[in-house]
């Protein structure tokens, strides 16, 4: 038997509920398709995990579901030629924790093609301190670089800066030499954001309300985790030929913008998806995280919790109350 979080949906009311349960290998085999079984060492709480557990958005496509969109651990059994018992691996996305049982269990059974090797630079717990949030932050940085946003071009903005994606993005961009403007609704976290490397901290209220199609040119690039009016204002304030990496929807899924930043200032809006990203991009992102993320800053943004605390943390993250990253210590 092993511990797991299980999310169920009531057939009568449609209400979603989550609880800590004991599962066994037969449950895993009956409810999963896969050719690799992993002993999960650590998982994490991402915003999407919060949505899955609270039922706030319909991210879970099949019930009962073991949520947890990412994990790191050690291969126990493999029928996949790429992996053998003892290999240390990371999983991010691919619909795991949404349509396929995920990381909030001591064992996971998944497709070997979804895994990437754990970089030598990281322990499983460090890899999950980064987690899908941090790997997505790196995808955003790679997109800005690919669009020519280099540190000499000017400041870069990170929205939702005190959250998971935002905290890693601030630390990465600062280490790479960018002057980072961190936008947050939690000005009490100003010292925290400065420790991560932010040069300037602004109140997210400056960006949250409907704005003009074009604003004063302020940042050469941006990582936006927030969407909605914030993303529209971020684009409106982006400098000529700058780029914005859009990865999140913490304010909303809408995008009430005009084409003005794109056709008058040549701004590029880069869509960032971590879930189905191709293997080569994942490998490149994890390599760059090993090179460019300061371990001390990663430790400073991370808190560890146990499986039993995941349900409370899920409510906290959808309420915007989690600072930085939460690692879930699942197994040994
Ligand atoms: P977090 O909850 O850790 O961070 C989100 C942050 O957004 C909060 O900490 C808060 O930052 C800010 N925020 C929350 N509510 C609002 C609001 N109403 N208006 C403006 N800002 C708000 O989540 P994650 O970092 O895990 O994820 C961030 C976003 O990125 C989510 O929308 C998530 O779904 C998305 N995401 C997308 C991925 C992809 O593949 N595209 C992968 C991973 C995440 P502060 O307090 O500093 O203002």
């Amino acid at each position: 038997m092993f511990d797991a979080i299980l999310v169920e949906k009531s057939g009568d009311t449609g209400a979603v509920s989550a609880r800590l349960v004991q599962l066994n290998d037969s449950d895993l085999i009956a409810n999963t398709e896969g050719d690799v079984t992993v002993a999960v060492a650590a998982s994490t709480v991402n915003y999407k995990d919060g949505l899955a557990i609270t039922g706030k958005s319909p991210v879970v496509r099949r019930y009962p579901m073991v949520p947890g969109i990412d994990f790191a651990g050690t291969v126990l059994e493999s029928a996949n030629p790429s992996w053998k018992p003892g290999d240390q691996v990371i999983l991010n996305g691919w619909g795991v924790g949404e349509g396929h049982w995920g990381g909030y269990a001591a064992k996971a059974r998944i497709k070997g093609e979804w895994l990437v090797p754990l970089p030598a630079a990281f322990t499983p717990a460090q890899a999950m301190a980064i987690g899908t949030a941090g790997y997505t932050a790196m995808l955003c940085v790679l997109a800005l670089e690919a669009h020519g946003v280099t540190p000499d071009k000017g400041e870069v903005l990170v929205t939702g800066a005190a959250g998971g994606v935002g905290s890693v993005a601030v630390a990465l961009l600062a280490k790479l030499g960018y002057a980072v403007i961190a936008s947050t609704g939690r000005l009490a976290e100003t010292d925290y954001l400065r420790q991560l490397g932010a040069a300037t901290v602004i109140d997210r209220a400056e960006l949250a309300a409907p704005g003009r199609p074009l604003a004063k040119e302020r940042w050469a690039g941006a990582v936006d985790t927030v969407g909605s009016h914030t993303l529209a204002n971020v684009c409106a304030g982006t400098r000529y030929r700058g780029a914005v990496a859009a990865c999140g929807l913490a304010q909303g899924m809408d995008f009430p913008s005009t084409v003005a930043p794109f056709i008058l200032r040549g701004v590029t809006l880069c869509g960032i998806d971590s879930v189905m990203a191709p293997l080569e991009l994942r490998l490149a992102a994890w390599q760059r995280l090993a090179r460019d993320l300061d371990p001390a800053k990663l430790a400073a943004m991370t808190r560890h919790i146990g499986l039993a605390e995941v349900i409370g943390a899920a409510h906290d993250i959808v309420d915007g109350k989690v600072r930085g990253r939460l690692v879930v210590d699942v197994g040994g």
Side-chain angles (χ1 to χ4, degrees):
M1 302 293 283
F2 53 89
D3 286 343
I5 301 284
L6 201 65
V7 177
E8 291 161 302
K9 189 172 193 174
S10 156
D12 296 336
T13 63
V16 169
S17 60
R19 64 199 168 99
L20 185 64
V21 298
Q22 291 265 298
L23 298 177
N24 59 33
D25 287 352
S26 308
D27 296 320
L28 195 63
I29 288 165
N31 287 282
T32 57
E33 283 174 26
D35 52 7
V36 179
T37 304
V38 176
V40 175
S43 184
T44 142
V45 182
N46 297 279
Y47 190 81
K48 193 184 270 181
D49 299 312
L51 297 178
I53 287 177
T54 60
K56 192 181 165 200
S57 272
V59 296
V60 174
R61 298 192 297 275
R62 187 166 73 79
Y63 293 93
M65 176 57 56
V66 173
I69 64 168
D70 48 16
F71 61 78
T74 305
V75 172
L76 291 172
E77 290 172 27
S78 173
N80 184 304
S82 300
W83 306 105
K84 59 179 188 322
D87 287 345
Q88 291 201 295
V89 292
I90 300 174
L91 180 129
N92 296 110
W94 296 115
V96 170
E98 302 177 63
H100 186 104
W101 280 16
Y104 294 154
K107 284 188 189 178
R109 186 162 165 264
I110 35 72
K111 294 184 182 172
E113 69 214 51
W114 292 344
L115 296 168
V116 297
L118 179 75
F122 299 128
T123 63
Q126 283 174 316
M128 285 301 102
I130 295 166
T132 296
Y135 143 67
T136 302
M138 191 74 239
L139 294 179
C140 292
V141 172
L142 292 173
L144 295 185
E145 288 178 349
H147 285 86
V149 180
T150 44
D152 56 301
K153 296 280 169 52
E155 293 173 301
V156 290
L157 172 71
V158 176
T159 63
V165 177
S167 292
V168 180
V170 169
L172 283 170
L173 289 163
K175 170 98 186 284
L176 290 166
Y178 293 87
V180 179
I181 305 173
S183 166
T184 183
R186 292 178 272 180
L187 289 172
E189 299 294 356
T190 296
D191 285 347
Y192 164 77
L193 291 166
R194 285 195 189 281
Q195 276 161 23
L196 295 184
T200 310
V201 178
I202 64 170
D203 188 334
R204 78 181 188 206
E206 283 187 37
L207 301 168
R212 296 198 309 265
L214 285 177
K216 180 170 174 265
E217 293 177 63
R218 290 175 72 183
W219 30 81
V223 172
D224 179 62
T225 72
V226 169
S228 193
H229 292 294
T230 299
L231 177 57
N233 289 321
V234 168
C235 292
T238 300
R239 288 165 69 162
Y240 188 72
R241 290 184 70 78
V244 177
C247 71
L249 41 57
Q251 184 180 14
M253 200 187 250
D254 57 328
F255 179 41
S257 180
T258 75
V259 296
F262 313 116
I263 65 171
L264 298 177
R265 290 197 182 146
V267 168
T268 299
L269 183 57
C270 314
I272 304 298
D273 167 60
S274 67
V275 179
M276 303 304 288
L279 182 64
E280 316 81 71
L281 185 56
R282 290 167 186 263
L283 293 171
W286 279 102
Q287 262 180 16
R288 284 288 305 272
L289 283 159
R291 194 191 84 180
D292 295 330
L293 187 57
D294 180 341
K297 286 184 180 170
L298 182 64
M301 69 177 81
T302 303
R303 191 160 66 84
H304 288 253
I305 61 172
L307 263 185
E309 295 163 274
V310 162
I311 296 169
H315 287 272
D316 287 346
I317 202 163
V318 295
D319 291 342
K321 289 184 191 157
V322 171
R323 184 182 90 171
R325 300 283 301 134
L326 286 177
V327 171
V328 184
D329 295 319
V330 180

